[in-house]
Amino acid sequence: MRDGFLPFALPSIGEAEINEVAESLRSGWITTGPKTHEFAERFAAACGVSFALPVNSCTAALHLSLLAMGVGPGDEVITTPLTFCATANVICHTGATPVFADIDEESMNIDPAAFAKAITNKTKAVIPVHYAGQPCAMDEIMETARLKGLRVIEDAAHAPFAEYKGAVIGGIGDTTCFSFYATKNLTTSEGGMLTTNDKSIYDSAAVLSLHGMSRDAWDRYSEKGTWYYEVVAPGYKYNMFDIQAAMGLRQLDRHGEMQSRRDEIAASYSKALGGCPALKVPRAGDDVRHVWHLYPLRLRPNTLSIGRAGFIDELRTRKIGTSVHFIPVHLHPYYRDRFGFKPGDFPNAEAAYEAEISLPIYPMMNDADVQDVIEAVLEVAEEYKA
Ligand SMILES: *Cc1c(COP(=O)(O)O)cnc(C)c1O
């Protein structure tokens, strides 16, 4: 057995990131400044999108997207139950009502038909989540949304530079929201980005991201000096700062190399585990470029004498860290109590949750680590064969 415990996730921070952060600290620009602007510009260019608003989290980007689209009390917003709670929490923050649509069993992404069925005359927007780094069926989602006059906010927390039918994610929906949290494919410790091709959405989100202070006022009243501003809405404190962007710039430089390692690990897992009858390995769709933020392995029902939790414990005793993505949002106490959701409401999401184990997948893993994960998984599957 391996010596040390293999964590489920670790950030990949090189000397370049460390030096760039040190340079920021020495420069005097420690809050939003030149590096934040450069990071946003480079990110927008890499996504092929007109505007990128750097913020302090993906949660902030999602919240600002909804606000910039005018979503509020009385409105409904549809999303998947198989996501991180932030996706649904931000809907609640606006006073709107979260509505869930079940997932497609194979991709684990929102099922476009279930989305279409969940639409009412109160629906204002949909938030498809590119689960694990695999883009949703965006053609179907966009077509339904346009037909019904709905806004589309992509939660791409898992999916920087993923591709849908040859297009990099970032400019398909009305906005796309990225996360640079510590465990994500690209990190700034904490951080996020909102991308859009819609100038009016960008302008509204930008003003709301910093106290509702209008930049137009600076232009209009420039004769009054740079100290003048006008507050046009009670905005938020969601700005990214240069220490974060310093890391982000150097992470962008290394993105291709980090992505290749994720691809290699995913391919190794699928090759080694795909033949085991107790396991269902994730498969990327033909028309997408999956970026493998997660490797969601699933246990096939009735093939093992232990459950998913037991399987995770067995991996832990073999010094392999894993996680589960996600506890379906509708099953959390707040959502049950406030909106009346209950087990059985979204059977595909619940079945996926009950079967899923996220294996470690990150660039810091070496070949021996990958081999250890494979051996541990196959050993447990063999030992507890039903
Ligand atoms: C991580 C995550 C978020 C939140 O990102 P933050 O940057 O931590 O706010 C939102 N949605 C999904 C699907 C995530 O995995």
Side-chain angles (χ1 to χ4, degrees):
M1 203 196 301
R2 54 181 289 122
D3 284 341
F5 190 80
L6 181 72
F8 168 66
L10 274 181
S12 176
I13 306 296
E15 287 305 310
E17 284 87 337
I18 294 168
N19 292 336
E20 195 69 52
V21 168
E23 204 278 326
S24 284
L25 293 170
R26 292 194 180 98
S27 75
W29 266 114
I30 55 172
T31 183
T32 308
K35 286 182 189 176
T36 307
H37 297 301
E38 187 189 346
F39 181 51
E41 268 173 30
R42 275 185 61 188
F43 196 85
C47 296
V49 67
S50 306
F51 306 99
L53 179 69
V55 287
N56 60 13
S57 69
C58 180
T59 306
L62 291 164
H63 187 203
L64 292 174
S65 295
L66 290 167
L67 294 173
M69 293 167 190
V71 172
D75 297 335
E76 291 177 358
V77 178
I78 298 171
T79 191
T80 167
L82 200 69
T83 185
F84 185 56
C85 60
T87 319
N89 286 349
V90 293
I91 300 170
C92 302
H93 291 167
T94 68
T97 303
V99 171
F100 297 106
D102 209 350
I103 59 165
D104 165 65
E105 203 270 329
E106 182 62 33
S107 68
M108 299 164 87
N109 278 330
I110 192 168
D111 173 3
F115 154 53
K117 263 182 129 168
I119 295 169
T120 72
N121 57 14
K122 292 180 177 167
T123 310
K124 282 283 152 56
V126 58
I127 311 181
V129 178
H130 305 311
Y131 178 87
Q134 164 154 252
C136 295
M138 291 310 295
D139 278 355
E140 288 86 340
I141 291 168
M142 292 306 293
E143 193 186 325
T144 302
R146 293 301 177 236
L147 206 66
K148 302 282 183 176
L150 310 180
R151 294 293 204 167
V152 178
I153 300 165
E154 294 172 66
D155 181 336
H158 299 180
F161 312 125
E163 291 174 28
Y164 179 73
K165 298 192 175 172
V168 179
I169 291 297
I172 301 172
D174 294 293
T175 67
T176 305
C177 303
F178 297 90
S179 174
F180 309 125
Y181 179 68
T183 59
K184 299 285 158 74
N185 285 24
L186 215 100
T187 186
T188 62
S189 308
E190 296 274 1
M193 194 75 77
L194 181 163
T195 62
T196 182
N197 284 312
D198 185 324
K199 185 167 189 315
S200 70
I201 288 180
Y202 171 79
D203 287 342
S204 304
V207 166
L208 288 170
S209 74
L210 196 62
H211 307 297
M213 289 157 69
S214 173
R215 291 180 190 169
D216 291 350
W218 291 338
D219 301 337
R220 257 185 288 140
Y221 299 98
S222 54
E223 71 274 12
K224 291 185 179 176
T226 51
W227 54 268
Y228 190 80
Y229 59 86
E230 288 181 348
V231 173
V232 296
Y236 299 84
K237 175 67 182 176
Y238 280 168
N239 57 301
M240 179 183 281
F241 50 90
D242 271 26
I243 296 171
Q244 294 171 300
M247 281 181 71
L249 284 168
R250 302 289 74 91
Q251 289 264 295
L252 270 186
D253 296 344
R254 301 202 296 119
H255 172 261
E257 155 206 330
M258 293 197 293
Q259 185 60 56
S260 304
R261 186 63 188 148
R262 284 181 184 275
D263 297 347
E264 277 171 16
I265 298 170
S268 300
Y269 283 161
S270 292
K271 186 160 176 252
L273 306 176
C276 177
L279 307 174
K280 180 175 169 60
V281 298
R283 231 161 22 92
D286 295 332
D287 47 9
V288 300
R289 165 77 167 97
H290 196 313
V291 292
W292 300 107
H293 170 59
L294 301 174
Y295 189 90
L297 185 69
R298 278 180 281 179
L299 306 181
R300 291 191 190 274
N302 311 318
T303 57
L304 294 166
S305 62
I306 47 170
R308 189 268 314 273
F311 204 105
I312 286 177
D313 289 342
E314 287 297 321
L315 291 177
R316 198 199 320 275
T317 64
R318 287 165 177 78
K319 301 187 182 174
I320 305 297
T322 58
S323 190
V324 173
H325 294 87
F326 291 95
I327 301 164
V329 181
H330 70 283
L331 298 181
H332 286 296
Y334 173 78
Y335 287 88
R336 290 199 205 197
D337 297 348
R338 171 82 174 71
F339 303 105
F341 294 117
K342 57 189 185 314
D345 283 350
F346 305 100
N348 290 355
E350 291 168 29
Y353 160 62
E354 278 155 24
E356 201 265 351
I357 301 175
S358 295
L359 298 184
I361 182 166
Y362 49 95
M364 297 285 279
M365 289 173 69
N366 62 31
D367 290 347
D369 294 330
V370 176
Q371 219 43 51
D372 287 343
V373 174
I374 290 168
E375 277 167 27
V377 169
L378 291 176
E379 198 178 286
V380 177
E382 181 60 32
E383 193 173 324
Y384 292 95
K385 208 155 52 175

